[in-house]
Amino acid sequence: MKHKKMSWLIATLFTSPLLVQQALAQEAAGDIQQVNVTGIRASVRNALAAKEASNSIVEVVSSEDIGKLPDTTIAESLARLPGMSSGLDRGNASQVVARGLGPRFIGATLNGRELASSEPNRAVRFEQFPSESLSGATVYKTQSAELVEGGVATTIDLQTVSPLKYNGRQVSLKADALYYAMARDIPGATKLAPRVGGVYIDQFDNRKLGVALAFSYQDQPSIEKNVKQFGFNEDHSADLNGDGKIDKTPWGWGDSAKRGKDKRSSVLGKVEWKPSGDAIITGDAYYAQAKIKEPGVAHWSGDTGNWDGWQKSAYSNLDIRNGYVVGGTVTGVGLTTNDTLWTQDMDTFATGVNGKFNVGDWKIESDLSTSRAGRDSQWRDLRQVSNNGATVSFSFTGDERQVFSYGQDTGNPANFGAATLYVDTDGHLRDSLNALHLSAARAVEWGPVNKLKIGARATDREKDYHQTTWNISRLATNGTLSNSDYETVTVAGLAAPFIALKDFVGTMERAFGASAFDSSGRVPTQNDLLSGWRVKERSSSVYAQGDLEGDVGGKSYRGNVGVRVVHTTQTGEGMQSLNNAAPTAVSDGTSYTEILPSLNLIFNMDEKQEHQVRFSVARAMSRAPLDEMRGSRNIFIDPNPAMPLTGSAGNPQLKPMMANQVDLAYQWYFGKGSLLSAGAFYKKITRYIGIVSDNTTIDGRAAVITRSVNGEGGNVRGLEFIYQQAFDNGFGVSSNYSYTNSDIKESFPTANPFPIEGLMKHNGGVTLWYEKNGFEARTSANYHSKFVRNPTWGAGQLIENGAETYLTLNVAQQLTKQLQVRFGIDNLTNQKVVYTSANIPQQQEVTEFGRRFNLGLSYKF
């Protein structure tokens, strides 16, 4: 109910902006004075100025000052923009959702260059870009021919600082102490952590040479509490209450806690050289690294599935709703205790050289870039099963109700049997992307066309993944584990204590050998071989675009019209197994050519150009996720030649998802830093990619294969409203509300499919701020309704993310001209993340990350 109230509160704000304006204006009356525009006010003005000047429909994030974006990372800033939101990962905003479409429809560039990704698909993790490295971001909601193809929902361009745009040497340093309140509930979790960052900018040789250096480091605790229901026995259960109907019993449930660290660092270097007024050459390099080390503890309660009715007599105190057993008591149930360690090392490197030259009437630009990303991860699980079964009770009725008892002492290692070490899995992902871009532009006088732009781009991308899995039983080694190696871990808010090794790595190496976690020399399992893949993609594109300017009926207009032609060749490689035989190499692929026309028009409705009507029509594309283009497949051959082959596979022949789209918006820039806007958009999406049982042909024989295919698609429609205003008395408000709907369905669950991934029907936020005499305060509330997302590595692992309201508060005081003190709270109301699976309200997973506090200093000189 609280989410619905917040949604209506946000929506109501847009029906009465003039009332808000009048109330604050009356407060400011009679107290008007000269205001020095800095900080938040400057950021709002700069962002709106860029939005107003753009020939496309865009949203803009602008830095308040050197090294001073309004958030810790750009992901948090992007998630507050109109029509935008984000799912959480480890409590942080991460992959962005835009206009009701998930990460597969979002393109990401850094200084206009496409980025390699440490995710299996193409999605970029925006939390890897700290505020020190960026000067801002532009979110393109409409397409133009000169824009890199790949974003049906939006293309997000992140911009690094340009040293020659600053006057003189500037240095900004900041340091924060972070406090994680929930760490008090988890023994061994880190409560305090540092965050430091800085930017250095300078110019030399009479401002012909500019340099910029930026760095950041954050040692963030990675803590969480989690309770998860594992799902139901849908088709092999039995009647429990004697009413003649099958009662679907739960497979079990689990609870867990993490007490790890997420260390993130980045460095940016940039050089700009302007030897003359007709040339500027820029070279830049960006490197980001994340090292996650997450010790965890968990319980898994199983043996409750009642397969073919064998546990009927063990059940009592039943709570059955819509055929699902959501509560009860069961005797003779086993328990698994897990002491885990998840390690994950990610890195991203992007570098390039750009040259801009004036040659006669032409402006020539060339850009050569390369981007690399990787991820090395390993899941280590010391697993033990209880010596005896116990009587358990449970009540998982939905709405975050998760009540259960394990019926035994879970904090005593003597109650559990011999340990087995599972390494599942040791995985390695690599992505490389090289690109060359050439363009030329010149002024022309071709009727309404006043500038011609032409260009070409070529890319070469390769992504691959491989893994190894193994387990070691303690009984097969000479090592020993004793009860004294363990400690009891009691987590506040969870039902039962855990056991964990006092020294996980040291004890594991003693018990299982020094190479217990080393994959060297280990033979990959058949599943490992079938899980590996490599995808190669080569693409070229050319475009021509004309910038428009003129008058119609006494009203001026501007914009652009153009076309982009894209040709791509792709190959997916992997391993194939026939009837569980030894895997052999297999590959396949395809090529395609797409024509992408676009038109953007801005009509100025008054002489001051404060009232604008913006119209856009375009054809856009989003390429298939790279991991779904893998060549791997596992095929079973029926001995009856009349029967089809069956199995699962990737699909190297996937074509990009396409969209014909129209945007219309009215924008009123009624003051500096002030905007009232209403807009609508429509996208007709074709070739939507979903996982289905596909009727196809393999080696001349009919086959039914579960894999991703291009489907029919459907419609996405939306409305967007924006109201923001900066008042003369130091106050300001920024707010937005979006409504989106779609008739596109996923293919899962079969009986009642989810809506399209990323679809948030309601999404909006309000930011109130105040800035005066060196004091700044800002509070933000962002809301989204439930939406479908894929939070795991596996394609098609869809769940429903519940509605969320995320609140933040930040205040700062300028102590001297150079020194500022800051204080902030993230997740002010301790919003939990709630996943619901398979459209079953009682099948929920609830995760709590807690509140985060920061106290910091910024120094600029």
Side-chain angles (χ1 to χ4, degrees), residues 144 682 772:
S144 61
Y682 169 77
K772 202 168 189 178

Side-chain angles (χ1 to χ4, degrees), residues 507-621:
T507 305
M508 289 294 90
E509 291 179 346
R510 186 195 76 209
F512 297 103
S515 61
F517 306 128
D518 187 358
S519 62
S520 301
R522 300 189 187 275
V523 178
T525 67
Q526 177 154 309
N527 181 66
D528 290 335
L529 295 174
L530 294 175
S531 298
W533 50 269
R534 175 183 287 109
V535 172
K536 299 177 182 179
E537 182 181 79
R538 290 186 176 181
S539 184
S540 58
S541 58
V542 294
Y543 71 88
Q545 178 176 302
D547 286 357
L548 306 174
E549 189 173 55
D551 292 276
V552 174
K555 307 294 184 182
S556 64
Y557 69 87
R558 56 186 167 89
N560 56 61
V561 62
V563 63
R564 190 178 189 95
V565 180
V566 181
H567 178 75
T568 300
T569 300
Q570 63 193 37
T571 302
E573 301 174 355
M575 303 291 280
Q576 170 182 270
S577 174
L578 300 176
N579 281 346
N580 290 320
T584 57
V586 64
S587 67
D588 197 359
T590 190
S591 63
Y592 55 85
T593 300
E594 299 294 346
I595 300 175
L596 309 175
S598 60
L599 170 68
N600 291 278
L601 289 174
I602 298 97
F603 297 94
N604 299 307
M605 308 308 292
D606 63 326
E607 188 174 344
K608 292 183 178 181
Q609 300 186 10
E610 294 177 346
H611 298 265
Q612 298 180 359
V613 174
R614 295 183 174 236
F615 172 77
S616 175
V617 61
R619 182 167 172 80
M621 62 178 279

Side-chain angles (χ1 to χ4, degrees), residues 589-667:
T590 190
S591 63
Y592 55 85
T593 300
E594 299 294 346
I595 300 175
L596 309 175
S598 60
L599 170 68
N600 291 278
L601 289 174
I602 298 97
F603 297 94
N604 299 307
M605 308 308 292
D606 63 326
E607 188 174 344
K608 292 183 178 181
Q609 300 186 10
E610 294 177 346
H611 298 265
Q612 298 180 359
V613 174
R614 295 183 174 236
F615 172 77
S616 175
V617 61
R619 182 167 172 80
M621 62 178 279
S622 286
R623 290 189 173 90
L626 288 161
D627 56 331
E628 296 180 52
M629 293 160 54
R630 65 192 184 278
S632 312
R633 57 194 191 189
N634 193 9
I635 307 298
F636 297 94
I637 303 174
D638 194 295
N640 182 353
M643 298 299 293
L645 308 177
T646 58
S648 60
N651 189 354
Q653 296 186 7
L654 285 174
K655 300 290 181 67
M657 296 175 285
M658 306 300 297
N660 296 327
Q661 49 196 42
V662 179
D663 284 76
L664 179 65
Y666 164 75
Q667 298 176 351

Side-chain angles (χ1 to χ4, degrees), residues 85 96 99 122 137 165 197 241 270 273 356 456 475 515 521 525 558 577 584 656 660 664 695 700 705 735 740 755 770:
S85 190
V96 170
R99 291 187 150 191
R122 301 177 189 270
K165 291 184 178 179
N241 59 4
K270 192 169 186 177
W273 179 41
K356 297 178 181 177
L475 299 178
S515 61
T525 67
R558 56 186 167 89
S577 174
T584 57
N660 296 327
L664 179 65
N695 293 298
I705 306 298
S735 53
T740 312
Y770 177 81

